[in-house]
Amino acid sequence: MNGSILFSLFFVALFSYVSYSALGYVYLARMFPLAVGVFALVLALVNLFEDIWRLRRNIASDSGMGLSDLETDWDIAHSEVWLKAGLLIGVVIALYGGIWLIGYPLAMSIFVVLVYRFIARAKLINSCIAGMAALGFIAFVAKMLNVSWPEGLIQKLVNLPWPLG
Amino acid sequence: MLEALSQSFVTIFTFSHIVWLVTGVLAGLSIGVLPGLGGIVGMSILLPVIYGMEPDIAFALLVGMVAVIPTSDTFPSVLMGIPGSAASQATIMDGYPMAKRGEATRALSAAFTASLMGGLVGAVTLSLVIPIAKPLILAFGSPELFMLTVLGLSMVGILAGKRPIRGLLAACLGLVIGAIGAAPAAAEYRFTFGTEYMMDGIPLVVVGLGLFAFPEIIDLLIKGKAISEKTTIGRGWVKGVKDALAHKLLVLRCSFIGVIIGFLPGLGGSVVDWIAYGHVVQITKDKPQFGKGDIRGVIAPESANNAKEGGGLIPTLLFGIPGSGSMAVFLGGMLILGIQPGPSMVTEHLDLVYTSVWSLALANIVGAALCVILARPIAQLTKVRYAYIAPFMILIITLACYQATQTWGDLIALLVMGILGWIMKQFGWPRPAALIGYVLAANLETYLFISAQRFGWTWLWRPGVLVIGAIIVISLILGLRKTAAIDKAAQKSEAKQ
C-alpha cells in the first residue's frame, strides 16, 4: 500500500510538472497539455487521497484489474518480487552497458549464454549453442530485414568481422 | 466493372501470381511473428524486389504480405502476452490468460479463423465500396475525425478497471506521452528535456513493447515457470474454429468496425483492436469472463484488425491517401511501378484494383490456413520454461525497438517505459488505457485544432459530429453498465470461493 501511495504521488508530481511546463509554451502548443495536465492533476490528487484513506481505514488495496489489464498473481512475498524485479532490471542495464562497450551482436550473444547458464541453469555446452543461435539470428535478421544495431566502443577501435563489427 | 472483376479473378490464379502471393504471405507471416516488426518493415523489405515487376504480380506480393501480418502477430500476443504488432494489443487481454490455462491452441485457432473471416469481409467491402468511396470519404472532415478519435478514447471508460480514476489517469499519462515532441499547431517542442531523440516523440513500437512486453518478461522470469500453468496446451484447434463460427455475427460486426477505421485516412489503425474489444464487452449479455480468458475477447479484435487492411486500401488506391504507415509504403511501391494512385485508378487501372481485392481475399485464406496448421506446434512454446525463451525475447524487442529511430534513445525509452509498465501492472494501473491515450493523442489535438480553426464552434453542430457524439454517449452508458455488472459478478464469484 505504501508503494502504491508513492506511485500515486509520482502521478501528482508528474502532472504538476506537465501543467507547470505547459504554461511556458506558446498558446497553440500550450492548450492541449495544459488541459490534460490540470484535469489529470485533480484526478491524481483525488486518487492520492483515496489511497491514503484506504491506508488509514486499513482497507486492502484493490489490486484486481477487472477488465482493465492482465491480473498479477504471485505465490511469493511482494518484497521478494520487488527484489527479483530490481535484479532483473539491473541485468538489463548491465546488458545495455555491454552493448555500449562491445556492440549489440557480441553483447547479446554473451547475455544469452549467461542467462542460459546462470538463470536457466542450462549446461555450458547448451548455453554456448544458444549464444551462437542468437548471433546467427541477429545476422540472419540483419541480412533479410536490413535492420541495424547499436555499435559499441570496441567497434570504433578494432576492425571486427561482420556481424561482430 | 464485372468484366474487370472476373478478369482479375482469372489473373490471380496464374502460376506466377500465386507464387508471388505465397511469397508475400510467407514474408508477412514471418514478420508478424516477430514482436514490434509490423507492416512498415515488411513493405520496406519488399520494395526493392518489385522494381521492374509487372504491376499485378507486384500487387500480389505486397498485398499478400500486408494482409497476413495481423494474422500471425497473434502468436506472440497469445503465447507470450507480448503484442505482435500495434493491431493485436487487445488480443492479449483474453488470449494470454487462455494460453496460461492451457488453451493456447483453441485461442490461436479461433483468432486465425476470425482473422480469415475479417479479412474476407474487408476484401468484399473493398470491392463493393469502390464505386461509392469518394462521397463517403469526403463526408468525414476534421470534426468527424475528431469525434471518432474521442470515440476511441471513450473505450478507456470501459477498460478503466475497478478504480475508474486510475483508468482515466492512465489515459492522461498516455495523452501526455503522446504530446511529447513537436506541437502540431505551433513551432514548439514539448517535454523534450533538451534531447534530440524526443523531438519526434516516442515511437509507438517503443511505448507498446515497453508497456506490455518488458513487464511480462520480468514477471515470467520471476515466476521461473513455463507460460502455461498446465502441462497440456489443449486439443482445441477444431474447437477454436467452431468458436469463431459460433460467433459469426460478432465477427461480422467487428469486421465492419475494422473496415470503417481502416477506411478513414488519418485515424490510424492502432486503436482498432481496442474499439472492437470495447464493443464486445458492451454487447455481451451472458456471464462473460473478459480479462480472464473469454474467447470472444480474442475473436473481436482479431476479426477487426484483419478487416482493417481491406478498408485501408480504399483511400490508398483511390485517393493516394495512406490510412496507415504500411499503406504509405505501399503507396511508394505503386509509384515505383509507375502507377499514380487516385480516382483514375477506377477508370484506368480497375483491373489492378480488383487484383488487389482478390489477392487480399486469397492471402487471408492462405495465411489463416498456414497459421492454423502451425498453431499447435508453435503453441508448444508455452510449455517451455520461460528462462529459455526470455533472452531471445529481449533480443527481439530490443532489436525491433532500435529500428524505430536507430538511436540509443529507443533502447533507453524502452527501459523507462518497461519499468513504468511493470510498476503500473503491480499496482493495478491499467496499461491499455495509457496505450489508447498515447495512440490517440496526436489525432485528438490535431483534429481539434483544425476543426476550431476552420469552423469555429459551429463544427459542434455538424450532423456527423452529433451522430458520432450520440454513439459515444450510448456506448459509454452501455459499456459502464456492463463493466460494473461484470465486476459485480466477479466479486460474487470470488466471495463464493
Side-chain angles (χ1 to χ4, degrees):
Chain A
M1 192 68 181
N2 288 336
S4 180
I5 288 178
L6 272 180
F7 196 53
S8 297
L9 257 176
F10 160 75
F11 271 82
V12 173
L14 174 80
F15 289 118
S16 303
Y17 169 77
V18 168
S19 308
Y20 177 75
S21 295
L23 289 171
Y25 301 135
V26 295
Y27 178 74
L28 288 175
R30 180 198 314 156
M31 290 318 291
F32 182 72
L34 187 63
V36 173
V38 171
F39 173 67
L41 181 59
V42 174
L43 288 180
L45 285 168
V46 172
N47 177 64
L48 179 66
F49 288 127
E50 193 184 338
D51 274 355
I52 294 169
W53 179 79
R54 278 169 180 266
L55 182 69
R56 288 175 69 105
R57 296 272 171 128
N58 233 354
I59 299 171
S61 175
D62 196 355
S63 59
M65 288 287 195
L67 272 179
S68 60
D69 203 341
L70 298 169
E71 298 270 1
T72 46
D73 47 341
W74 295 111
D75 47 13
I76 52 173
H78 275 269
S79 55
E80 201 179 334
V81 170
W82 280 85
L83 184 68
K84 284 186 172 180
L87 282 172
L88 289 169
I89 289 166
V91 168
V92 175
I93 292 170
L95 168 69
Y96 279 21
I99 294 171
W100 177 79
L101 199 64
I102 57 176
Y104 187 84
L106 206 52
M108 193 51 85
S109 308
I110 294 170
F111 169 74
V112 171
V113 173
L114 293 176
V115 170
Y116 263 63
R117 187 79 187 100
F118 296 107
I119 295 180
R121 307 269 176 209
K123 286 180 183 169
L124 183 63
I125 181 80
N126 292 343
S127 306
C128 292
I129 291 170
M132 291 304 289
L135 189 61
F137 177 79
I138 294 168
F140 175 76
V141 169
K143 275 284 176 201
M144 292 299 292
L145 305 185
N146 199 24
V147 299
S148 59
W149 52 66
E151 266 194 352
L153 204 60
I154 197 167
Q155 277 79 12
K156 287 172 185 153
L157 302 172
V158 185
N159 196 15
L160 291 170
W162 188 88
L164 303 177
Chain B
M1 202 170 91
L2 279 176
E3 194 189 331
L5 191 69
S6 56
Q7 198 180 344
S8 54
F9 183 74
V10 174
T11 307
I12 64 153
F13 285 106
T14 55
F15 179 72
S16 58
H17 195 281
I18 287 186
V19 167
W20 284 108
L21 183 99
V22 172
T23 307
V25 167
L26 290 174
L29 292 179
S30 311
I31 288 161
V33 167
L34 299 174
L37 300 180
I40 300 175
V41 173
M43 282 285 184
S44 311
I45 296 159
L46 294 185
L47 279 193
V49 181
I50 65 168
Y51 277 98
M53 266 188 181
E54 286 295 318
D56 62 315
I57 302 285
F59 267 48
L61 181 70
L62 296 177
V63 173
M65 198 216 61
V66 83
V68 297
I69 286 179
T71 310
S72 64
D73 66 5
T74 313
F75 279 117
S77 299
V78 169
L79 300 180
M80 313 269 173
I82 294 170
S85 76
S88 69
Q89 288 153 353
T91 311
I92 294 173
M93 294 293 291
D94 285 285
Y96 186 53
M98 284 184 77
K100 276 173 143 181
R101 65 170 191 239
E103 290 187 297
T105 313
R106 181 186 169 199
L108 285 172
S109 94
F112 299 140
T113 313
S115 294
L116 166 65
M117 291 157 81
L120 291 179
V121 170
V124 171
T125 313
L126 170 62
S127 62
L128 294 176
V129 163
I130 286 164
I132 54 161
K134 192 175 177 181
L136 273 178
I137 288 184
L138 292 180
F140 283 87
S142 293
E144 288 79 16
L145 289 171
F146 170 75
M147 291 303 284
L148 282 170
T149 311
V150 176
L151 174 66
L153 203 59
S154 73
M155 290 303 139
V156 167
I158 296 155
L159 297 164
K162 291 181 179 175
R163 288 178 65 178
I165 288 182
R166 288 188 169 182
L168 288 172
L169 274 169
C172 289
L173 174 70
L175 288 172
V176 169
I177 296 171
I180 291 172
E188 179 106 38
Y189 289 103
R190 300 180 301 205
F191 312 120
T192 59
F193 302 101
T195 57
E196 204 177 311
Y197 172 73
M198 291 171 89
M199 285 180 174
D200 275 339
I202 301 177
L204 172 61
V205 64
V206 175
V207 177
L209 289 177
L211 286 181
F212 284 90
F214 192 89
E216 218 49 52
I217 292 170
I218 297 284
D219 274 3
L220 286 165
L221 276 174
I222 292 172
K223 283 180 182 165
K225 297 175 188 164
I227 293 167
S228 175
E229 286 152 5
K230 293 190 176 172
T231 49
T232 59
I233 51 162
R235 301 173 63 180
W237 78 265
V238 176
K239 201 175 178 191
V241 174
K242 281 183 183 169
D243 282 329
L245 293 175
H247 296 101
K248 50 188 174 295
L249 284 178
L250 173 68
V251 171
L252 207 61
R253 275 196 304 270
C254 292
S255 302
F256 282 123
I257 289 173
V259 169
I260 291 166
I261 290 170
F263 170 77
L264 296 171
L267 197 61
S270 310
V271 82
V272 64
D273 51 336
W274 290 115
I275 293 181
Y277 189 77
H279 170 71
V280 70
V281 171
Q282 288 164 345
I283 54 120
T284 305
K285 284 181 182 159
D286 56 6
K287 289 176 185 169
Q289 289 288 310
F290 292 116
K292 293 186 174 71
D294 193 309
I295 194 72
R296 288 166 293 191
V298 175
I299 292 170
E302 283 305 310
S303 45
N305 66 17
N306 272 64
K308 176 196 92 205
E309 300 302 336
L313 276 171
I314 299 168
T316 311
L317 290 171
L318 301 186
F319 300 100
I321 304 168
S324 62
S326 55
M327 284 300 147
V329 188
F330 182 76
L331 204 66
M334 289 176 74
L335 296 173
I336 288 173
L337 296 166
I339 297 163
Q340 186 64 45
S344 63
M345 285 296 288
V346 182
T347 51
E348 290 171 24
H349 299 290
L350 193 59
D351 54 332
L352 276 180
V353 174
Y354 283 120
T355 302
S356 306
V357 173
W358 289 118
S359 299
L360 190 67
L362 192 61
N364 270 291
I365 294 168
V366 175
L370 284 173
C371 283
V372 167
I373 293 165
L374 293 171
R376 196 169 164 76
I378 292 183
Q380 299 284 348
L381 273 177
T382 57
K383 288 162 65 181
V384 177
R385 223 178 105 213
Y386 199 70
Y388 292 114
I389 301 173
F392 285 94
M393 293 320 298
I394 291 173
L395 187 161
I396 291 169
I397 65 166
T398 47
L399 200 59
C401 280
Y402 189 74
Q403 306 317 308
T405 65
Q406 302 196 346
T407 61
W408 263 95
D410 292 324
L411 296 181
I412 293 165
L414 172 72
L415 184 65
V416 172
M417 285 291 150
I419 295 171
L420 181 68
W422 188 80
I423 297 175
M424 285 177 81
K425 194 181 170 198
Q426 301 313 307
F427 289 132
W429 290 70
R431 294 168 298 165
L435 198 63
I436 293 173
Y438 165 79
V439 167
L440 294 176
N443 282 352
L444 201 67
E445 186 176 6
T446 306
Y447 291 134
L448 180 62
F449 167 71
I450 297 172
S451 303
Q453 288 286 310
R454 170 74 180 79
F455 302 104
W457 289 104
T458 59
W459 67 268
L460 285 166
W461 307 110
R462 284 164 68 105
V465 170
L466 293 173
V467 169
I468 302 168
I471 293 171
I472 293 169
V473 173
I474 294 167
S475 146
L476 267 178
I477 292 170
L478 287 178
L480 289 173
R481 278 175 60 181
K482 178 59 68 181
T483 46
I486 292 169
D487 283 344
K488 215 173 175 181
Q491 276 170 5
K492 267 187 187 173
S493 115
E494 276 167 22
K496 271 182 191 173
Q497 283 168 7

